[in-house]
Amino acid sequence: MEPPENSNKDGKGYELAEKIILRWDSTASEEARERMIFESDRQEADLYLQAVDEIQRSLSNASISTSSNNNADDRSKVNTTIQIAMARLEEEFRNILITHTSAFETDSLFDPASSSSSTPSHHEHEEDDSLSNDNSINNILLQLHHCGSSDSTSYRSTSSIREVDLMPAEAICDLQAIAMRMVSSGYFRECIQVYGSVRKSTVDSSFRKLGIEKLSIGDIQRLEWEALESKIRRWIRAARVCVRILFASEKKLCEQIFKCVGTDIDDACFMETVKGPAIQLFNFAEAISISKRSPEKLFKMLDLHDALMELLPDIEAVFDSKSSDSIRVQATEILSRLAEAVRGILSEFENAVLREPSRVPVPGGTIHPLTRYVMNYISLISDYKQTLIELIMSKPSTGSRYSGDPSTPDMEFAELEGKTPLALHLIWIIVVLQFNLDGKSKHYTDASLVHLFMMNNVHYIVQKVKGSPELREMIGDDYLRKLTGKFRQAATNYQRAAWVSVLYCLRDEGLHVSGAFSSGVSKSALRERFKTFNAMFEEVHRTQATWLVPDAQLREELRISISETLIPAYRSFLGRFRSHIESGKHPENYIKYSVEDLETAVLDFFEGYPVSRHLRRRSQ
């Protein structure tokens, strides 16, 4: 309410005003203690505000009436009256704030999805299922929508910010009138404190509903990472609500109440209300950003970084005054520390892959757990390509063929010209993974199993790259062809190591003799050759049936390749020399297997489980 234009100059106006002020002095009147002026007849509130205006004018005029002979005493009397009036207005101000902080409605049909234009970050879609029964954040959105009067639900939307009217217009008008009089009487600090204490309790209540806990940075850093992961998911969702709706709406309410008083006080009241909660909110992200680095934290760090980067324009819009500099600075510094943490974790991950120390060979030469972990990890990295391309600005620290360091693999950047630093890091991770795997392969005692192990693992790397369009794009087809060549070479080396000695039994050399009484073939040498072949093939069959090629297509291709080499050689050898054995005694002891028996036996290879010590033989 505006003060009246006419001033009563004969002192009667003051005396009437003083009477009204004293009548509502809650320290002197039981009735005044039990009733609130602004909850009474509207006329009572108007009269009281007019009385306060009159007292304020009297104080500024330095004298009350011409009959007064003691201006100092009069000023003291007016000061006392002003103090009584301000104490009362402070009570009224608090009561209006509390009365119109309504109980939130949670059973509305308001759609919370409209509260934010953002979409969940990369992995929130799959992780949100764990929160599907938790409606706290949705309820907050419903509550914010309904906390004003039924006829006051307007929004002011700027980009993704959605400001809700937190109080009805009539209450705001009364708060404006009281605030103007308190500030003009020098009760600026009291007004701010009352406003801040009431509204901050409302914000705190919203924080509790959003699941934002009061944890210090130390408390957060002492939590197990598994517990923190769910808290990070919740924090990201809650932070969007806090910045875009909760804080923005509190700022709007401050502007509505204090717009006639001056920007300094509305900024002061806003910060009195939300500074503590805002610091509490951002302390969580800060604690994560400075926590101990480890590979499993990378993706949640990236989720936090992306969420905060997305919110930064809204933070700058909501906290745009000089008094809120510290909030903007804190958010920017957290973003910078998260970026640095991401770079550090990636570098540490590369070193961890290079130095991974396990020495126990995996059974059957199958895919090493390290290979699965690393390739799944970099596939996830590629999901964050857009963010990481901006964050990763330098090439990896690698060895070179000229470094002479046997503990570090070579990687020449000249061969990878034009690739982003992120792509170079991903290729470097694959290089160091292969280097480590090569070291692990040396722990196998069977040379052919060494090659099978490398074939399995490099093939898995190739398949993971092919299975991720983003990863394949960054790695590039040239490097993919290089990897493909490596696993095919490993397959060739396996066949050479495993089968050359077996096939050597099927050669003609050493079987022919010359002499007048000889058929040209040494039956004893031939029998020994068949026995050697049988024993070697049985050993290969027994051993390699327990080896494992997990990829069904690769397993079939390898069996076909073995058959295409072994079966024709055995068929030809059998065709040339069968008659020499069958014409002697006990031919079944030497020609133990038909061509079909070998074809069947090859199907047992690489299944990963033992077979009968004796091959299955066709009935003769």
Side-chain angles (χ1 to χ4, degrees):
M1 167 177 289
E2 296 296 327
E5 295 179 2
N6 297 323
S7 173
N8 191 323
K9 297 181 180 179
D10 62 3
K12 290 182 180 179
Y14 168 79
E15 292 171 1
L16 180 59
E18 182 185 39
K19 184 177 179 181
I20 293 171
I21 298 298
L22 295 177
R23 181 162 67 86
W24 288 100
D25 180 5
S26 57
T27 64
S29 166
E30 184 69 30
E31 182 185 4
R33 279 194 293 273
E34 292 178 353
R35 293 176 59 202
M36 300 305 295
I37 301 170
F38 285 79
E39 290 180 354
S40 305
D41 190 305
R42 189 69 240 169
Q43 188 177 1
E44 289 278 8
D46 293 341
L47 285 172
Y48 194 86
L49 292 175
Q50 290 172 16
V52 172
D53 295 336
E54 183 62 38
I55 300 297
Q56 287 177 330
R57 275 193 297 274
S58 298
L59 185 61
S60 64
N61 288 338
S63 63
I64 299 171
S65 69
T66 56
S67 61
S68 174
N69 296 318
N70 191 338
N71 285 343
D73 290 344
D74 291 341
R75 176 173 287 276
S76 175
K77 184 179 180 182
V78 174
N79 279 332
T80 300
T81 308
I82 279 289
Q83 289 171 7
I84 294 169
M86 292 302 110
R88 183 70 203 201
L89 286 180
E90 185 177 322
E91 288 180 34
E92 297 288 337
F93 195 74
R94 179 183 287 106
N95 184 66
I96 295 170
L97 286 170
I98 293 171
T99 301
H100 293 284
T101 300
S102 306
F104 291 150
E105 301 286 342
T106 59
D107 54 353
S108 166
L109 297 176
F110 173 66
D111 178 12
S114 66
S115 67
S116 171
S117 60
S118 66
T119 56
S121 61
H122 308 278
H123 300 285
E124 284 185 72
H125 292 291
E126 60 198 52
E127 293 170 334
D128 276 354
D129 291 342
S130 64
L131 299 174
S132 59
N133 294 324
D134 181 0
N135 294 319
S136 298
I137 291 173
N138 289 353
N139 287 346
I140 273 292
L141 296 171
L142 306 180
Q143 293 160 355
L144 286 168
H145 180 75
H146 282 280
C147 65
S149 64
S150 59
D151 61 348
S152 177
T153 55
S154 65
Y155 291 85
R156 183 177 71 194
S157 178
T158 306
S159 66
S160 51
I161 292 175
R162 298 187 67 84
E163 298 168 340
V164 180
D165 283 332
L166 298 178
M167 287 191 180
E170 185 178 307
I172 290 172
C173 186
D174 288 340
L175 291 168
Q176 284 177 347
I178 294 172
M180 286 175 61
R181 286 157 178 86
M182 289 184 73
V183 172
S184 64
S185 295
Y187 284 75
F188 175 91
R189 176 47 52 188
E190 289 81 354
C191 185
I192 290 175
Q193 287 174 343
V194 171
Y195 183 88
S197 67
V198 175
R199 291 308 306 172
K200 184 177 180 299
S201 68
T202 304
V203 175
D204 287 342
S205 175
S206 297
F207 266 40
R208 287 191 294 274
K209 289 179 170 65
L210 286 166
I212 302 171
E213 303 170 75
K214 285 191 175 180
L215 298 172
S216 68
I217 289 177
D219 293 334
I220 295 165
Q221 292 185 326
R222 282 189 289 273
L223 290 171
E224 293 294 327
W225 181 248
E226 290 76 11
L228 277 176
E229 284 189 293
S230 62
K231 290 184 185 296
I232 289 171
R233 286 195 295 271
R234 175 178 285 275
W235 185 91
I236 289 171
R237 299 175 68 194
R240 290 174 181 146
V241 176
C242 288
V243 172
R244 292 172 170 165
I245 302 178
L246 195 59
F247 294 160
S249 299
E250 288 294 339
K251 182 179 182 182
K252 178 185 179 184
L253 183 61
C254 287
E255 291 171 349
Q256 288 173 321
I257 294 170
F258 300 106
K259 64 183 178 183
C260 298
V261 181
T263 56
D264 287 346
I265 188 170
D266 62 34
D267 285 343
C269 286
F270 175 60
M271 289 308 292
E272 185 79 13
T273 302
V274 304
K275 184 174 183 179
I279 291 172
Q280 178 188 340
L281 178 71
F282 293 121
N283 273 354
F284 178 86
E286 183 169 351
I288 301 299
S289 74
I290 60 177
S291 64
K292 184 179 178 181
R293 296 171 184 174
S294 58
E296 72 271 13
K297 295 182 179 180
L298 177 65
F299 304 108
K300 281 288 166 256
M301 290 268 194
L302 284 165
D303 284 341
L304 263 183
H305 177 278
D306 286 354
L308 200 54
M309 177 65 81
E310 175 193 308
L311 280 174
L312 195 59
D314 301 320
I315 293 168
E316 290 173 344
V318 172
F319 298 96
D320 60 347
S321 67
K322 188 173 182 180
S323 62
S324 56
D325 273 348
S326 60
I327 304 299
R328 296 196 306 277
V329 168
Q330 184 184 18
T332 304
E333 287 179 347
I334 292 169
L335 202 57
S336 177
R337 279 194 290 270
L338 284 169
E340 187 56 39
V342 165
R343 287 188 283 267
I345 289 173
L346 186 61
S347 177
E348 290 176 18
F349 177 71
E350 292 164 357
N351 289 328
V353 174
L354 181 61
R355 310 298 176 197
E356 199 279 329
S358 63
R359 293 177 178 273
V360 179
V362 292
T366 188
I367 300 162
H368 198 282
L370 178 66
T371 307
R372 293 185 187 277
Y373 176 70
V374 170
M375 292 311 300
N376 287 333
Y377 196 89
I378 66 172
S379 294
L380 285 174
I381 285 177
S382 68
D383 289 345
Y384 292 85
K385 179 178 72 173
Q386 290 307 119
T387 300
L388 285 168
I389 282 176
E390 295 174 7
L391 298 185
I392 306 301
M393 297 171 286
S394 60
K395 298 176 182 178
S397 300
T398 68
S400 74
R401 63 173 64 101
Y402 308 110
S403 67
D405 182 1
S407 65
T408 305
D410 299 338
M411 179 169 160
E412 298 302 328
F413 291 119
E415 301 171 3
L416 300 164
E417 189 175 353
K419 294 200 174 296
T420 65
L422 175 61
L424 294 176
H425 276 272
L426 296 180
I427 292 171
W428 173 241
I429 290 170
I430 292 174
V431 169
V432 297
L433 171 61
Q434 292 178 87
F435 183 80
N436 190 318
L437 291 169
D438 190 59
K440 294 183 189 307
S441 72
K442 303 300 190 290
H443 298 295
Y444 290 106
T445 56
D446 189 320
S448 54
L449 188 53
V450 169
H451 299 303
L452 189 81
F453 171 76
M454 290 305 296
M455 178 202 72
N456 273 329
N457 283 270
V458 179
H459 177 266
Y460 182 82
I461 292 169
V462 168
Q463 293 306 109
K464 291 297 285 189
V465 173
K466 286 182 175 179
S468 168
E470 295 84 2
L471 186 56
R472 181 169 186 167
E473 180 186 354
M474 285 189 284
I475 295 296
D477 286 341
D478 287 344
Y479 190 72
L480 185 59
R481 279 192 290 271
K482 188 176 180 180
L483 286 172
T484 303
K486 282 190 175 183
F487 95 74
R488 294 198 182 284
Q489 184 60 50
T492 300
N493 292 342
Y494 150 76
Q495 285 189 247
R496 185 178 294 120
W499 293 100
V500 164
S501 58
V502 177
L503 293 170
Y504 194 67
C505 297
L506 304 178
R507 74 195 189 284
D508 288 2
E509 290 83 359
L511 297 179
H512 294 280
V513 294
S514 57
F517 302 101
S518 172
S519 64
V521 173
S522 170
K523 289 189 177 181
S524 61
L526 183 59
R527 284 194 291 267
E528 193 60 34
R529 187 69 63 79
F530 268 106
K531 286 174 66 177
T532 302
F533 172 82
N534 293 337
M536 292 186 72
F537 185 79
E538 286 168 4
E539 178 60 21
V540 169
H541 176 260
R542 183 186 65 79
T543 303
Q544 298 196 20
T546 64
W547 294 359
L548 183 62
V549 177
D551 185 86
Q553 183 177 342
L554 180 61
R555 184 169 62 244
E556 185 61 24
E557 287 176 2
L558 202 56
R559 287 170 177 169
I560 290 171
S561 181
I562 292 168
S563 294
E564 286 176 347
T565 305
L566 173 67
I567 300 304
Y570 185 70
R571 180 183 288 114
S572 174
F573 187 79
L574 203 59
R576 293 195 305 276
F577 299 110
R578 178 194 291 271
S579 61
H580 296 287
I581 297 296
E582 290 181 339
S583 64
K585 295 180 179 179
H586 306 297
E588 70 277 4
N589 291 340
Y590 307 103
I591 304 177
K592 293 175 68 174
Y593 306 111
S594 67
V595 170
E596 291 78 7
D597 290 334
L598 296 192
E599 289 175 335
T600 301
V602 169
L603 298 178
D604 294 329
F605 286 14
F606 317 124
E607 290 289 347
Y609 52 83
V611 294
S612 169
R613 186 171 183 85
H614 301 288
L615 288 175
R616 295 186 299 273
R617 298 172 60 184
R618 291 166 56 116
S619 58
Q620 299 298 315

